[in-house]
Amino acid sequence: FTMQGCDDPDSSIGIIQLAAKDVFQSIKEEKSKDSNSECSVSVSYVEIYNEELRDLLNDNSRKSSTSLTIREDKRGGISVEGLKEVAVKS
């Protein structure tokens, strides 16, 4: 598998597309059980290369070396400070 898949339509899709498909399928199943349920989905896209983080959705971080920091909260959740999030829908 690759992150984005190959250009060849006969080959398998990438991990990003598989994950998105699973997320939206789960939302669809939940809505079929409870039509009043609401859900929002947002995504970020970060590259880790040579121990440096790069925000792939932020044009400014592509041009300069914007410093992103990985943080862990009190509950053990991991987040990247300053990472751009974009709302998506199926």
Coordinates of all heavy atoms in Angstrom, one line a residue:
F1 N 0.8 -1.2 0.0 CA 0.0 0.0 0.0 C 0.9 1.3 0.0 O 2.0 1.3 0.6 CB -0.9 0.0 1.2 CG -2.0 -1.0 1.2 CD1 -2.0 -2.1 1.9 CD2 -3.1 -0.7 0.4 CE1 -3.0 -3.0 1.9 CE2 -4.2 -1.6 0.4 CZ -4.1 -2.7 1.1
T2 N 0.3 2.3 -0.6 CA 1.0 3.6 -0.5 C 0.0 4.5 0.2 O -1.2 4.2 0.4 CB 1.3 4.2 -1.9 OG1 0.1 4.4 -2.6 CG2 2.2 3.2 -2.7
M3 N 0.4 5.7 0.5 CA -0.5 6.7 1.2 C -1.7 7.1 0.2 O -2.8 7.2 0.7 CB 0.2 7.9 1.7 CG 1.2 7.6 2.8 SD 0.5 6.9 4.2 CE -0.5 8.2 4.9
Q4 N -1.3 7.4 -1.0 CA -2.3 8.0 -1.9 C -2.8 7.0 -3.0 O -3.7 7.3 -3.7 CB -1.8 9.2 -2.6 CG -1.6 10.3 -1.6 CD -1.0 11.6 -2.2 OE1 -0.3 11.5 -3.2 NE2 -1.3 12.7 -1.7
G5 N -2.1 5.9 -3.1 CA -2.5 4.9 -4.2 C -1.7 5.2 -5.5 O -0.9 6.1 -5.5
C6 N -2.0 4.4 -6.5 CA -1.3 4.6 -7.8 C -2.2 5.2 -8.8 O -3.4 5.2 -8.6 CB -0.8 3.2 -8.2 SG 0.3 2.4 -7.1
D7 N -1.6 5.7 -9.9 CA -2.4 6.3 -11.0 C -3.2 5.2 -11.7 O -4.2 5.5 -12.4 CB -1.4 7.0 -11.9 CG -0.9 8.3 -11.3 OD1 -1.5 8.8 -10.4 OD2 0.2 8.7 -11.7
D8 N -2.7 4.0 -11.7 CA -3.3 2.9 -12.4 C -4.6 2.5 -11.7 O -4.7 2.1 -10.6 CB -2.4 1.7 -12.4 CG -3.0 0.5 -13.1 OD1 -4.0 0.6 -13.8 OD2 -2.4 -0.6 -13.1
P9 N -5.8 2.7 -12.4 CA -7.1 2.4 -11.8 C -7.3 1.0 -11.4 O -8.1 0.7 -10.5 CB -8.1 2.9 -12.8 CG -7.4 3.0 -14.1 CD -5.9 3.2 -13.8
D10 N -6.5 0.1 -12.0 CA -6.7 -1.4 -11.7 C -5.9 -1.7 -10.4 O -6.2 -2.8 -9.8 CB -6.2 -2.2 -12.8 CG -7.0 -2.1 -14.1 OD1 -8.3 -1.8 -13.9 OD2 -6.5 -2.2 -15.2
S11 N -5.0 -0.9 -9.9 CA -4.3 -1.2 -8.7 C -5.1 -0.7 -7.5 O -6.1 0.0 -7.6 CB -2.9 -0.6 -8.7 OG -3.0 0.8 -8.7
S12 N -4.6 -1.1 -6.3 CA -5.4 -0.7 -5.1 C -5.3 0.7 -4.8 O -4.3 1.4 -5.1 CB -4.9 -1.6 -3.9 OG -3.5 -1.4 -3.7
I13 N -6.3 1.2 -4.1 CA -6.3 2.6 -3.6 C -5.4 2.8 -2.4 O -5.0 1.8 -1.8 CB -7.7 3.1 -3.4 CG1 -8.3 2.4 -2.2 CG2 -8.6 3.1 -4.6 CD1 -9.7 2.9 -1.8
G14 N -5.1 4.0 -2.1 CA -4.1 4.2 -1.0 C -4.8 4.2 0.4 O -6.0 4.1 0.5
I15 N -3.9 4.3 1.4 CA -4.4 4.2 2.8 C -5.3 5.4 3.1 O -6.2 5.2 3.9 CB -3.1 4.1 3.7 CG1 -2.4 2.8 3.5 CG2 -3.5 4.3 5.2 CD1 -1.1 2.7 4.2
I16 N -5.0 6.6 2.6 CA -5.8 7.7 2.9 C -7.2 7.5 2.4 O -8.2 7.8 3.1 CB -5.2 9.0 2.3 CG1 -3.8 9.3 2.9 CG2 -6.1 10.2 2.4 CD1 -3.0 10.4 2.2
Q17 N -7.4 7.1 1.2 CA -8.7 6.8 0.6 C -9.4 5.7 1.4 O -10.6 5.8 1.6 CB -8.6 6.5 -0.9 CG -8.2 7.6 -1.7 CD -6.7 7.7 -1.9 OE1 -5.9 7.2 -1.1 NE2 -6.3 8.4 -2.9
L18 N -8.7 4.7 1.8 CA -9.3 3.6 2.6 C -9.8 4.1 3.9 O -10.9 3.7 4.3 CB -8.3 2.4 2.8 CG -8.0 1.6 1.5 CD1 -6.8 0.6 1.9 CD2 -9.2 0.8 1.1
A19 N -9.0 4.9 4.6 CA -9.4 5.4 5.9 C -10.6 6.3 5.7 O -11.6 6.3 6.5 CB -8.2 6.2 6.5
A20 N -10.6 7.2 4.7 CA -11.8 8.1 4.5 C -13.0 7.3 4.2 O -14.1 7.7 4.7 CB -11.4 9.1 3.4
K21 N -12.9 6.3 3.4 CA -14.0 5.5 3.1 C -14.6 4.8 4.3 O -15.8 4.8 4.5 CB -13.6 4.4 2.1 CG -14.7 3.5 1.6 CD -14.1 2.5 0.6 CE -15.2 1.4 0.3 NZ -14.6 0.4 -0.6
D22 N -13.8 4.3 5.2 CA -14.2 3.7 6.4 C -14.9 4.7 7.4 O -15.9 4.4 8.0 CB -13.1 3.0 7.2 CG -12.6 1.7 6.5 OD1 -13.4 1.2 5.6 OD2 -11.6 1.2 6.9
V23 N -14.3 5.9 7.5 CA -14.9 6.9 8.4 C -16.3 7.3 7.9 O -17.3 7.3 8.7 CB -14.0 8.2 8.4 CG1 -14.7 9.3 9.0 CG2 -12.7 7.9 9.2
F24 N -16.4 7.6 6.6 CA -17.7 8.0 6.1 C -18.8 6.8 6.1 O -19.9 7.1 6.2 CB -17.6 8.7 4.7 CG -17.0 10.0 4.8 CD1 -15.7 10.3 4.4 CD2 -17.8 11.1 5.4 CE1 -15.2 11.6 4.5 CE2 -17.2 12.4 5.5 CZ -16.0 12.6 5.1
Q25 N -18.3 5.6 5.9 CA -19.2 4.5 6.0 C -19.7 4.3 7.4 O -20.9 4.0 7.6 CB -18.5 3.2 5.5 CG -19.3 2.0 5.6 CD -20.5 2.0 4.6 OE1 -20.4 2.6 3.5 NE2 -21.7 1.5 5.0
S26 N -18.9 4.5 8.4 CA -19.3 4.4 9.8 C -20.3 5.5 10.1 O -21.3 5.3 10.8 CB -18.1 4.6 10.7 OG -17.2 3.5 10.6
I27 N -20.1 6.7 9.6 CA -21.0 7.8 9.8 C -22.4 7.5 9.2 O -23.4 7.7 9.8 CB -20.5 9.1 9.2 CG1 -19.3 9.6 10.1 CG2 -21.6 10.2 9.2 CD1 -18.5 10.7 9.4
K28 N -22.3 6.9 8.0 CA -23.6 6.6 7.3 C -24.4 5.5 8.1 O -25.6 5.6 8.2 CB -23.2 6.0 5.9 CG -24.4 5.7 5.0 CD -23.9 5.2 3.6 CE -25.1 4.9 2.8 NZ -24.6 4.4 1.4
E29 N -23.6 4.5 8.6 CA -24.3 3.5 9.4 C -24.9 4.1 10.7 O -26.0 3.7 11.1 CB -23.3 2.4 9.7 CG -22.9 1.5 8.5 CD -21.8 0.6 8.8 OE1 -21.3 0.5 9.9 OE2 -21.3 0.0 7.8
E30 N -24.2 5.0 11.3 CA -24.7 5.6 12.5 C -25.9 6.4 12.2 O -26.9 6.4 13.0 CB -23.6 6.5 13.1 CG -24.0 7.1 14.5 CD -24.3 6.1 15.6 OE1 -23.6 5.0 15.6 OE2 -25.1 6.4 16.4
K31 N -25.9 7.2 11.1 CA -27.1 8.0 10.8 C -28.3 7.1 10.4 O -29.4 7.5 10.6 CB -26.8 8.9 9.6 CG -25.9 10.1 10.0 CD -25.9 11.1 9.0 CE -26.8 12.2 9.0 NZ -27.1 13.0 10.1
S32 N -28.1 5.9 9.9 CA -29.2 5.0 9.6 C -29.8 4.4 10.9 O -31.0 4.1 10.9 CB -28.7 3.8 8.7 OG -27.9 2.9 9.4
K33 N -29.0 4.4 11.9 CA -29.6 3.9 13.2 C -30.3 5.1 13.9 O -31.3 4.9 14.6 CB -28.5 3.4 14.1 CG -27.8 2.2 13.6 CD -26.6 1.8 14.6 CE -25.7 0.8 14.0 NZ -24.5 0.6 14.8
D34 N -29.8 6.3 13.8 CA -30.3 7.4 14.5 C -30.3 8.6 13.6 O -29.2 9.3 13.4 CB -29.5 7.7 15.8 CG -30.0 8.9 16.6 OD1 -31.1 9.5 16.2 OD2 -29.4 9.3 17.5
S35 N -31.4 9.0 13.0 CA -31.4 10.1 12.0 C -31.1 11.4 12.6 O -30.9 12.4 11.9 CB -32.8 10.1 11.3 OG -33.8 10.3 12.2
N36 N -31.2 11.6 13.9 CA -30.9 12.8 14.6 C -29.4 13.0 14.9 O -29.0 14.1 15.4 CB -31.7 13.0 15.9 CG -33.2 13.1 15.6 OD1 -33.6 13.7 14.6 ND2 -34.0 12.5 16.5
S37 N -28.6 12.0 14.7 CA -27.2 12.1 15.0 C -26.5 13.1 14.1 O -26.9 13.2 12.9 CB -26.5 10.7 15.0 OG -26.5 10.2 13.7
E38 N -25.5 13.8 14.6 CA -24.7 14.7 13.8 C -23.3 14.4 14.0 O -22.8 13.9 15.0 CB -25.0 16.2 14.3 CG -26.4 16.6 14.0 CD -26.6 18.1 14.3 OE1 -25.6 18.9 14.3 OE2 -27.7 18.5 14.6
C39 N -22.6 14.7 12.9 CA -21.1 14.4 12.9 C -20.4 15.4 12.0 O -20.9 15.8 11.0 CB -20.9 13.0 12.4 SG -19.2 12.5 12.5
S40 N -19.2 15.8 12.5 CA -18.4 16.6 11.6 C -17.0 16.0 11.5 O -16.5 15.3 12.4 CB -18.3 18.0 12.1 OG -17.6 18.0 13.4
V41 N -16.4 16.1 10.3 CA -15.1 15.5 10.1 C -14.2 16.6 9.6 O -14.5 17.3 8.7 CB -15.2 14.4 9.0 CG1 -13.9 13.8 8.7 CG2 -16.2 13.3 9.4
S42 N -13.0 16.6 10.2 CA -12.0 17.5 9.7 C -10.7 16.7 9.6 O -10.5 15.7 10.3 CB -11.8 18.7 10.6 OG -11.4 18.3 11.9
V43 N -9.8 17.2 8.6 CA -8.6 16.4 8.4 C -7.4 17.4 8.4 O -7.5 18.6 8.3 CB -8.6 15.7 7.0 CG1 -9.7 14.7 6.9 CG2 -8.7 16.7 5.9
S44 N -6.3 16.8 8.7 CA -5.0 17.4 8.6 C -4.0 16.5 7.8 O -4.3 15.3 7.8 CB -4.4 17.7 10.0 OG -5.2 18.6 10.7
Y45 N -3.0 17.0 7.3 CA -2.1 16.2 6.5 C -0.7 16.7 6.8 O -0.2 17.8 6.4 CB -2.4 16.5 5.0 CG -1.9 15.4 4.0 CD1 -1.6 14.1 4.4 CD2 -1.8 15.8 2.7 CE1 -1.2 13.2 3.4 CE2 -1.3 14.9 1.7 CZ -1.0 13.6 2.1 OH -0.6 12.8 1.2
V46 N 0.1 15.8 7.5 CA 1.4 16.2 8.0 C 2.4 15.2 7.5 O 2.1 14.0 7.3 CB 1.4 16.3 9.5 CG1 1.2 14.9 10.2 CG2 2.7 16.9 10.0
E47 N 3.6 15.7 7.1 CA 4.7 14.9 6.7 C 5.8 14.9 7.7 O 6.1 16.0 8.3 CB 5.2 15.4 5.4 CG 6.5 14.7 4.9 CD 7.1 15.4 3.6 OE1 7.4 16.6 3.7 OE2 7.1 14.7 2.6
I48 N 6.3 13.8 8.1 CA 7.5 13.7 9.0 C 8.6 13.2 8.1 O 8.6 12.1 7.6 CB 7.2 12.7 10.1 CG1 5.9 13.1 10.9 CG2 8.4 12.7 11.1 CD1 5.5 12.1 11.9
Y49 N 9.7 14.1 8.0 CA 10.8 13.7 7.2 C 12.1 14.3 7.9 O 12.1 15.5 8.2 CB 10.7 14.3 5.8 CG 11.8 13.9 4.9 CD1 11.9 12.7 4.4 CD2 12.7 14.9 4.5 CE1 13.0 12.3 3.5 CE2 13.8 14.6 3.6 CZ 13.9 13.3 3.1 OH 14.9 13.0 2.3
N50 N 13.1 13.5 8.1 CA 14.3 13.9 8.7 C 14.0 14.6 10.1 O 14.6 15.6 10.4 CB 15.1 14.9 7.9 CG 15.8 14.1 6.8 OD1 16.1 12.9 6.8 ND2 16.2 14.9 5.7
E51 N 13.1 14.0 10.8 CA 12.7 14.5 12.2 C 12.1 15.9 12.2 O 12.0 16.5 13.2 CB 13.9 14.4 13.1 CG 14.4 13.0 13.3 CD 15.5 12.9 14.3 OE1 15.7 13.8 15.2 OE2 16.3 11.9 14.3
E52 N 11.6 16.3 11.0 CA 10.9 17.6 10.9 C 9.5 17.4 10.5 O 9.2 16.5 9.6 CB 11.6 18.5 10.0 CG 13.0 18.9 10.5 CD 13.4 20.3 9.9 OE1 12.6 21.0 9.3 OE2 14.6 20.6 10.1
L53 N 8.5 18.1 11.0 CA 7.1 18.1 10.6 C 6.8 19.1 9.6 O 7.3 20.3 9.7 CB 6.2 18.3 11.9 CG 6.4 17.3 13.0 CD1 5.6 17.7 14.2 CD2 6.0 15.9 12.5
R54 N 6.0 18.8 8.6 CA 5.6 19.8 7.6 C 4.1 19.6 7.4 O 3.6 18.6 7.2 CB 6.3 19.6 6.3 CG 6.3 20.8 5.4 CD 7.3 20.6 4.4 NE 6.8 19.7 3.4 CZ 7.2 19.6 2.1 NH1 8.1 20.4 1.7 NH2 6.7 18.7 1.3
D55 N 3.4 20.8 7.5 CA 1.9 20.8 7.3 C 1.7 20.9 5.8 O 1.9 21.8 5.1 CB 1.4 22.0 8.0 CG -0.2 22.1 7.9 OD1 -0.8 21.4 7.2 OD2 -0.7 22.9 8.7
L56 N 1.1 19.8 5.2 CA 1.0 19.7 3.8 C -0.3 20.4 3.3 O -0.5 20.5 2.1 CB 0.9 18.2 3.3 CG 2.2 17.5 3.6 CD1 2.1 16.0 3.2 CD2 3.4 18.1 2.9
L57 N -1.1 20.9 4.2 CA -2.3 21.6 3.8 C -2.1 23.1 3.9 O -3.0 23.9 3.5 CB -3.5 21.2 4.6 CG -4.0 19.8 4.4 CD1 -5.2 19.5 5.3 CD2 -4.4 19.5 3.0
N58 N -1.0 23.5 4.5 CA -0.7 25.0 4.7 C 0.4 25.4 3.7 O 1.5 25.0 3.8 CB -0.3 25.2 6.1 CG -0.1 26.7 6.5 OD1 0.0 27.5 5.6 ND2 0.0 26.9 7.7
D59 N 0.0 26.2 2.7 CA 0.9 26.7 1.7 C 2.1 27.4 2.3 O 3.2 27.3 1.8 CB 0.3 27.6 0.7 CG -0.7 26.8 -0.2 OD1 -0.5 25.6 -0.4 OD2 -1.6 27.5 -0.7
N60 N 1.9 28.1 3.4 CA 3.0 28.9 4.0 C 4.1 27.9 4.6 O 5.3 28.2 4.6 CB 2.5 29.8 5.2 CG 1.7 30.9 4.6 OD1 1.8 31.3 3.5 ND2 0.7 31.4 5.4
S61 N 3.7 26.8 5.1 CA 4.7 25.9 5.7 C 5.5 25.2 4.6 O 6.6 24.7 4.9 CB 4.0 24.9 6.6 OG 3.4 23.8 5.9
R62 N 5.0 25.1 3.4 CA 5.7 24.5 2.3 C 6.9 25.4 1.9 O 7.9 24.9 1.5 CB 4.8 24.2 1.1 CG 3.8 23.1 1.4 CD 3.0 22.9 0.1 NE 2.0 21.9 0.4 CZ 1.3 21.3 -0.5 NH1 1.5 21.5 -1.8 NH2 0.4 20.4 -0.2
K63 N 6.7 26.7 2.0 CA 7.7 27.7 1.5 C 8.7 27.9 2.5 O 9.9 28.2 2.2 CB 7.0 29.0 1.1 CG 6.0 28.8 -0.1 CD 5.2 30.0 -0.3 CE 4.2 29.8 -1.4 NZ 3.2 30.8 -1.5
S64 N 8.3 27.9 3.8 CA 9.3 28.2 4.9 C 9.3 27.0 5.9 O 8.3 26.2 5.9 CB 9.0 29.5 5.6 OG 7.7 29.3 6.3
S65 N 10.2 26.9 6.7 CA 10.3 25.9 7.7 C 9.5 26.3 8.9 O 10.1 26.7 9.9 CB 11.7 25.5 8.0 OG 12.4 26.6 8.6
T66 N 8.2 26.3 8.9 CA 7.3 26.6 10.0 C 7.5 25.5 11.0 O 7.4 24.3 10.7 CB 5.9 26.7 9.6 OG1 5.8 27.6 8.5 CG2 5.0 27.1 10.7
S67 N 7.7 25.9 12.2 CA 7.9 24.9 13.3 C 6.6 24.4 13.8 O 5.8 25.1 14.3 CB 8.7 25.7 14.4 OG 8.7 24.9 15.6
L68 N 6.4 23.1 13.7 CA 5.3 22.4 14.3 C 5.7 21.6 15.5 O 6.8 21.0 15.4 CB 4.6 21.5 13.3 CG 4.0 22.2 12.1 CD1 3.5 21.1 11.1 CD2 2.8 23.1 12.4
T69 N 4.9 21.5 16.5 CA 5.3 20.8 17.7 C 4.3 19.7 18.1 O 3.1 20.0 18.1 CB 5.4 21.8 18.9 OG1 6.3 22.9 18.5 CG2 6.0 21.1 20.1
I70 N 4.8 18.5 18.4 CA 3.9 17.5 18.8 C 3.7 17.6 20.3 O 4.7 17.8 21.1 CB 4.5 16.1 18.5 CG1 4.7 15.9 17.0 CG2 3.7 15.0 19.1 CD1 5.4 14.6 16.6
R71 N 2.5 17.5 20.8 CA 2.1 17.7 22.2 C 1.3 16.5 22.6 O 0.5 15.9 21.8 CB 1.3 18.9 22.4 CG 2.0 20.2 22.1 CD 2.9 20.7 23.2 NE 3.4 22.0 22.9 CZ 4.6 22.3 23.1 NH1 5.5 21.5 23.7 NH2 5.1 23.5 22.8
E72 N 1.4 16.1 23.9 CA 0.6 15.1 24.5 C -0.2 15.7 25.6 O 0.3 16.4 26.5 CB 1.4 14.0 25.0 CG 0.6 12.8 25.6 CD 1.5 11.6 26.0 OE1 2.7 11.7 25.9 OE2 0.9 10.6 26.5
D73 N -1.6 15.5 25.6 CA -2.4 16.1 26.7 C -2.4 15.2 27.9 O -1.8 14.1 27.9 CB -3.8 16.4 26.2 CG -4.6 15.2 25.8 OD1 -4.3 14.1 26.2 OD2 -5.5 15.4 25.0
K74 N -3.1 15.6 28.9 CA -3.2 14.9 30.2 C -3.8 13.5 30.0 O -3.5 12.6 30.8 CB -3.9 15.7 31.3 CG -3.2 16.9 31.7 CD -4.0 17.7 32.7 CE -3.3 19.0 33.0 NZ -4.1 19.8 33.9
R75 N -4.6 13.3 29.0 CA -5.3 12.1 28.8 C -4.5 11.1 27.9 O -5.0 10.0 27.6 CB -6.7 12.3 28.2 CG -7.6 13.2 29.1 CD -8.7 13.7 28.3 NE -9.9 13.0 28.8 CZ -11.1 13.0 28.1 NH1 -11.2 13.7 27.0 NH2 -12.1 12.4 28.6
G76 N -3.4 11.6 27.4 CA -2.6 10.7 26.5 C -2.8 11.0 25.1 O -2.2 10.3 24.2
G77 N -3.7 11.9 24.7 CA -4.0 12.2 23.3 C -2.8 13.0 22.7 O -2.2 13.8 23.4
I78 N -2.6 12.7 21.5 CA -1.5 13.4 20.7 C -2.1 14.4 19.8 O -3.0 14.1 19.1 CB -0.6 12.4 20.0 CG1 -0.1 11.3 20.9 CG2 0.5 13.0 19.2 CD1 0.9 11.8 21.9
S79 N -1.4 15.6 19.7 CA -1.8 16.6 18.7 C -0.6 17.3 18.2 O 0.4 17.3 18.9 CB -2.8 17.6 19.3 OG -2.2 18.3 20.4
V80 N -0.8 18.0 17.1 CA 0.3 18.8 16.5 C -0.1 20.2 16.6 O -1.1 20.6 16.0 CB 0.6 18.4 15.1 CG1 1.8 19.2 14.5 CG2 1.0 16.9 15.0
E81 N 0.6 21.0 17.4 CA 0.3 22.4 17.6 C 0.6 23.2 16.3 O 1.6 23.1 15.7 CB 1.2 23.0 18.7 CG 0.7 24.1 19.5 CD 1.6 24.3 20.7 OE1 2.6 25.1 20.5 OE2 1.3 23.8 21.8
G82 N -0.4 24.0 15.9 CA -0.3 24.8 14.7 C -0.6 24.2 13.4 O -0.5 24.8 12.3
L83 N -1.1 22.9 13.4 CA -1.4 22.2 12.2 C -2.8 22.6 11.7 O -3.8 22.7 12.4 CB -1.5 20.7 12.5 CG -1.6 19.7 11.4 CD1 -0.4 19.8 10.5 CD2 -1.6 18.3 11.9
K84 N -2.9 22.9 10.4 CA -4.1 23.3 9.8 C -5.1 22.2 9.7 O -4.7 21.0 9.3 CB -3.8 23.9 8.4 CG -5.1 24.4 7.7 CD -4.7 25.0 6.3 CE -5.9 25.6 5.6 NZ -5.6 26.2 4.4
E85 N -6.4 22.4 10.0 CA -7.5 21.5 9.9 C -8.5 22.0 8.9 O -8.8 23.2 8.9 CB -8.2 21.3 11.2 CG -7.4 20.5 12.2 CD -8.2 20.1 13.5 OE1 -9.4 20.4 13.5 OE2 -7.6 19.6 14.4
V86 N -9.0 21.1 8.0 CA -9.9 21.4 7.0 C -11.1 20.6 7.2 O -11.0 19.3 7.3 CB -9.3 21.3 5.6 CG1 -10.3 21.6 4.5 CG2 -8.1 22.1 5.4
A87 N -12.3 21.2 7.2 CA -13.6 20.4 7.3 C -13.8 19.7 6.0 O -13.6 20.3 4.9 CB -14.7 21.3 7.6
V88 N -14.3 18.5 6.0 CA -14.5 17.7 4.8 C -15.9 17.1 4.9 O -16.5 17.0 6.0 CB -13.5 16.6 4.5 CG1 -12.1 17.2 4.3 CG2 -13.5 15.6 5.7
K89 N -16.5 16.7 3.7 CA -17.8 16.0 3.7 C -17.7 15.1 2.5 O -17.0 15.3 1.5 CB -18.9 16.9 3.6 CG -18.9 18.0 2.5 CD -20.1 18.9 2.7 CE -19.8 20.2 1.8 NZ -20.9 21.1 1.9
S90 N -18.5 14.0 2.6 CA -18.5 13.0 1.5 C -19.4 13.5 0.4 O -20.1 14.4 0.4 CB -19.1 11.7 2.1 OG -20.4 11.8 2.5

